[in-house]
Amino acid sequence: MFRKTLGLIVLFFVSIQVQAQQRTGNIVEYFGKEKVETIEEGKLIHVFKEALTLKVPTYKFNSSSFPEDPVFSRFLMSENYIPKKDDVFDVDFLGEPMVWKTMAVDTTNTFNDRELRSSYVCLTYKSNTEKIVLFEASGHSLVLINGMPHEGDHYDFGYNLIPLKLKKGLNVFVLKVGRFPRIRARLIQPKSEIQFTTRDLTMPDILVEESIDFKGAIRVINGTEEWLEKYTIEATFNGKVVKTELPNIPPMSVRKIPVSIPHVSEDAALGSHDLSLNLMSKNKVSNDIKTIPLEVKSKHTHHKRTFISGIDGSLQYYSVAPSSNDTLTNGALFLSVHGASVEAVNQANAYKQKDWGNLIAPTNRRPFGYAWEDLGRLDALEVLADAKNIYNPNPQKIYLTGHSMGGHGSWYLGATYPDKFAAIAPCAGYPDLLIYRDVFLNRLLNMSEDELQAFGVNPKVLSRLQEAPQLNPVETLIERAGTPSRTLQLIRNYLHHGVYILHGEKDNVVPTYIARDMRQRLGEFHNDFTYYEYPEGTHWYGNHSVDWPPIFNLFKERTIPVNQDVNKLEFYTGSPGVSSKSHFITIHQQEVPFKVSSFNFSKEEDEYLLKTDNVTFIEIDLSEFDEVKDKLLVDGFSIPVSDKKLFLKKENGTWKTTGKPSLKEKGPHRNGGFKDAFRNNVVFVYATKGSQEENIWYYNRARFDAETIWYRANGSVELVKDVDFSKSKYANRNVVLYGNKSNNAAWNQLLKESSIQVENNEVNFNGKQLKGDQWGMYYIVPRPDSDTASVGVVTATGEKGMKAAYMNHYLVNGTTFPDVLLFDDEVLINGTSAVKCAGFFGNDWSVEQGDFEWK
């Protein structure tokens, strides 16, 4: 089925999950954070206390890649649209008018009402002058401020501060309500144009045994209309000072900055110590000083570590439950992935220390993050690599476990990277997000009429909910971009592992029948798994929901085999760009992109046998084998083994030996899917050579994506003007380019030879010309001056196309984006069904050899 979201079901799920956590006492504080209530960044000058609200019922599956959004479409496409009380926006499928209604705040100055579910909130503020303020709101997923999109605060943390210049006269704020039916919005007069905010710090524990500069991160607000250049942060800790040069910070923006922190001596007192951070201008003038308590700890106790991510240069953390054996060498390493809303610190703290290994808990980039897919998947890999460098574990003793969403992460990461783990243990998990989504529809179907009425579901609505989406060929291809997340299609990869499934008997968040279904599926082919239902167990029944001794007993008895000892090997992948290899065999290229590819290898008496499916380029590395057989039989074709490393290519149905694959072609290093642009220390390059309207839009569009990566992924992406970009300065980094050939000065540096050219009023799609200002596109191509980097393009032919391309759901987990997407301004009204073209380039990155569908 097409990967979808259903607003009504999601809201139902959230209420069930929150109730379950409140009842059972989860390892997380409420959603992992205490909401920020105090204001340290300036003076509160306005609280929004009256609003117009519009409820837009969602009674059908709505694409999560291109969700239908008629409300934002109206505000974006009709600049002067300002609703009034009792205005009818539209009529729903039941014939009921959708009416703008008034609402007032409660005693906490919050718009708080169950009717806000699936709603929009319109706020207005009349300013007597132009002035710069900070817009602080929470509880919303997105906001349009005077027609410009900005990231929301849908987890209701109170983190988000948006510097903006109010217009003289009426200013309009349109907020899309997030996970919970409550919204708070305020305006703050900043105490200083340039300052720190301590909302959303990422800080390490300072370890007395390690003489290194530690890394923390703090957000810096640039509330000016100029770039912030040549600033430094002085960090003072335990009498030592370290300086960090800041990257340039764009106008009217907030960026989270990694900061160096001095180490302490081995005899430093354990406990809380104050870190002082001083924000210094290029003229050595102090703009702001913050004092932040840090914990000084021993590395032999539970602690946090930080590292600089190669995805975007941001600072991330992970938590450690170190071995109880201080002198452990060649020990095990346990990767434990947390559930939705759980902080990595709390995940690690749920485990007692083990004498035979170290346990690490990555963040998934946030407590909710990416469900261990997309950037969450990459975070898990980065943490695993960093921990291996630090702890130097036995490479055959690496294990994976997790709870709830982390149980899903265990199933997903275990299927995606099967040779990285000796055993996996999903706890209270679900194998696929689609299966989890269907849980809540099934619950609705089993409700009584009274229960359904409580959720506003009548028989006609229920019937609509059960309608299967009818996909056109373009939608079907877009769906295929999600194949790497279809865990059950990779299920035979679990043959690599021992598996322990732990689930509460009475789990009402992730229903127990999901675990029983996985037990049945594994039972059909797997002979090394254990299944246990904890009697009377709910979703969380104490730390032994994860720290379950039988799991670690199973782990202790399993090791990853060395390549020499592997006699049979199966491997499945949805894309070599996500997962390409197991042990000594690598799939470099597929015949049909983003369709499952596989190989089945076995050692026979006189030869090797290799069967493949949907593979066109494969590598076999026998260099670790003591003895090598003379012949390899590939899909019936006999290949002499003349070297310990073989590269095989399938041409016209025949397998032949060949040389190393060209890095200019698709492969594990760079295989596409538009989302792949947002890694590899990505930089955003925005247009400045267009009209004033174009320049403002594309700058804001790039800033919007940077805001989203910060909020959803604890990220920190560098923004660069097109005129300041040079290939040498940003060598081998991914680039996302905002604008088109007519207005982005970096276009010809990066896209001159691209088969897709976009300029004002025209798309040239490999010779096919499309005229008009309504076209928008997302696509990815290889960076021409690099063997590894890619260029992502967010582009349009004019005003209508720009606004049609306002959405950035490619930064949301559970969405599917092939290499190329072409759409027009109807996409905001009609969603994915209005996408005009979608497809994948060929293995040579050409359109001619690619796979495209047109509508």
Side-chain angles (χ1 to χ4, degrees), residues 52-55 74-75 80-91 97-102 122:
L52 288 175
T53 67
L54 177 70
K55 190 174 184 65
R74 180 78 60 88
F75 281 97
N80 297 320
Y81 175 64
I82 301 176
K84 297 181 177 61
K85 178 186 176 183
D86 297 328
D87 280 357
V88 175
F89 179 80
D90 203 345
V91 178
M98 293 184 281
V99 178
W100 287 99
K101 299 179 180 179
T102 58
C122 181

Side-chain angles (χ1 to χ4, degrees), residues 629-662:
K629 301 181 187 298
D630 296 330
K631 187 172 67 171
L632 169 68
L633 201 62
V634 185
D635 297 334
F637 293 92
S638 182
I639 305 290
V641 181
S642 55
D643 197 324
K644 283 196 170 184
K645 182 173 286 192
L646 298 175
F647 296 98
L648 306 175
K649 190 169 186 177
K650 190 176 184 180
E651 295 180 340
N652 300 318
T654 302
W655 283 102
K656 298 179 179 179
T657 57
T658 186
K660 291 182 179 180
S662 170

Side-chain angles (χ1 to χ4, degrees), residues 135 140-143 145 148-154 160-164 200 219 251-256 366 370 684 699-717 719 738 808 811:
F135 178 68
H140 59 304
S141 59
L142 291 172
V143 58
I145 303 178
M148 293 294 171
H150 291 272
E151 181 63 17
D153 183 16
H154 33 282
N160 214 342
L161 294 168
I162 299 173
L164 67 105
D200 188 34
R219 293 163 69 210
M252 306 299 286
S253 69
V254 184
R255 187 173 178 193
K256 196 167 185 178
R366 285 291 191 193
Y370 289 81
F684 294 170
Y699 169 67
N700 193 87
R701 188 63 182 74
R703 182 178 58 177
F704 175 36
D705 277 6
E707 291 171 353
T708 300
I709 287 182
W710 159 70
Y711 188 85
R712 290 183 175 271
N714 194 27
S716 180
V717 177
L719 268 65
Y738 298 83
N808 60 7
L811 297 176

Side-chain angles (χ1 to χ4, degrees), residues 403-657:
H403 179 265
S404 191
M405 182 182 74
H408 163 65
S410 300
W411 285 121
Y412 170 71
L413 295 169
T416 305
Y417 304 107
D419 64 339
K420 291 186 181 293
F421 308 104
I424 66 172
C427 306
Y430 48 92
D432 191 306
L433 289 170
L434 294 186
I435 290 176
Y436 192 37
R437 180 208 68 189
D438 291 342
V439 165
F440 309 106
L441 177 57
N442 292 336
R443 284 184 176 171
L444 286 174
L445 294 177
N446 290 319
M447 282 184 176
S448 67
E449 288 189 16
D450 290 342
E451 290 172 322
L452 289 171
Q453 286 295 332
F455 282 95
V457 179
N458 61 32
K460 194 167 186 178
V461 171
L462 191 62
S463 175
R464 178 66 67 97
L465 290 173
Q466 295 178 76
E467 291 180 3
Q470 302 298 314
L471 305 184
N472 63 42
V474 172
E475 291 176 291
T476 301
L477 189 142
I478 294 173
E479 174 190 5
R480 204 171 83 209
T483 300
S485 294
R486 301 287 70 80
T487 309
L488 293 181
Q489 295 186 38
L490 314 178
I491 193 170
R492 291 187 66 86
N493 281 348
Y494 298 132
L495 288 168
H496 287 67
H497 315 121
V499 179
Y500 195 110
I501 305 172
L502 176 64
H503 217 99
E505 180 188 14
K506 295 184 177 180
D507 191 335
N508 65 343
V509 176
V510 180
T512 308
Y513 75 77
I514 291 180
R516 293 170 183 168
D517 177 70
M518 287 303 292
R519 175 183 61 185
Q520 180 177 343
R521 291 175 185 268
L522 290 180
E524 294 174 357
F525 69 93
H526 203 297
N527 63 2
D528 184 20
F529 75 95
T530 298
Y531 179 88
Y532 185 75
E533 282 183 24
Y534 191 85
E536 300 295 315
T538 53
H539 191 58
W540 179 260
Y541 42 87
N543 285 352
H544 52 295
S545 301
V546 290
D547 194 10
W548 181 238
I551 286 177
F552 290 89
N553 291 339
L554 180 141
F555 283 177
K556 189 172 286 189
E557 296 172 356
R558 307 295 187 280
T559 57
I560 301 171
V562 296
N563 288 344
Q564 168 68 27
D565 294 337
V566 175
N567 295 318
K568 292 186 176 182
L569 182 61
E570 288 185 50
F571 175 71
Y572 300 78
T573 182
S575 165
V578 174
S579 174
S580 62
K581 71 179 289 290
S582 177
H583 289 283
F584 48 88
I585 301 180
T586 303
I587 295 174
H588 283 271
Q589 292 179 348
Q590 300 174 291
E591 292 178 306
V592 180
F594 282 75
K595 182 180 177 182
V596 172
S597 299
S598 66
F599 64 76
N600 191 328
F601 171 89
S602 64
K603 290 180 184 177
E604 304 300 326
E605 186 175 348
D606 298 319
E607 61 189 4
Y608 303 117
L609 292 183
L610 183 64
K611 297 179 180 179
T612 71
D613 184 46
N614 193 38
V615 178
T616 189
F617 202 123
I618 197 164
E619 173 187 350
I620 304 167
D621 184 356
L622 305 174
S623 57
E624 294 184 16
F625 283 32
D626 294 334
E627 297 180 1
V628 176
K629 301 181 187 298
D630 296 330
K631 187 172 67 171
L632 169 68
L633 201 62
V634 185
D635 297 334
F637 293 92
S638 182
I639 305 290
V641 181
S642 55
D643 197 324
K644 283 196 170 184
K645 182 173 286 192
L646 298 175
F647 296 98
L648 306 175
K649 190 169 186 177
K650 190 176 184 180
E651 295 180 340
N652 300 318
T654 302
W655 283 102
K656 298 179 179 179
T657 57

Side-chain angles (χ1 to χ4, degrees), residues 53-56 115-121 175-178:
T53 67
L54 177 70
K55 190 174 184 65
V56 182
E115 288 300 307
L116 283 178
R117 290 190 171 116
S118 299
S119 293
Y120 294 76
V121 173
L175 297 83
K176 185 183 294 187
V177 178

Side-chain angles (χ1 to χ4, degrees), residues 3 64-66 374 481-482 675 809-817:
R3 182 174 292 223
S64 54
S65 298
F66 288 90
D374 298 331
K675 288 185 173 186
H809 284 241
Y810 43 77
L811 297 176
V812 178
N813 73 292
T815 57
T816 57
F817 287 80

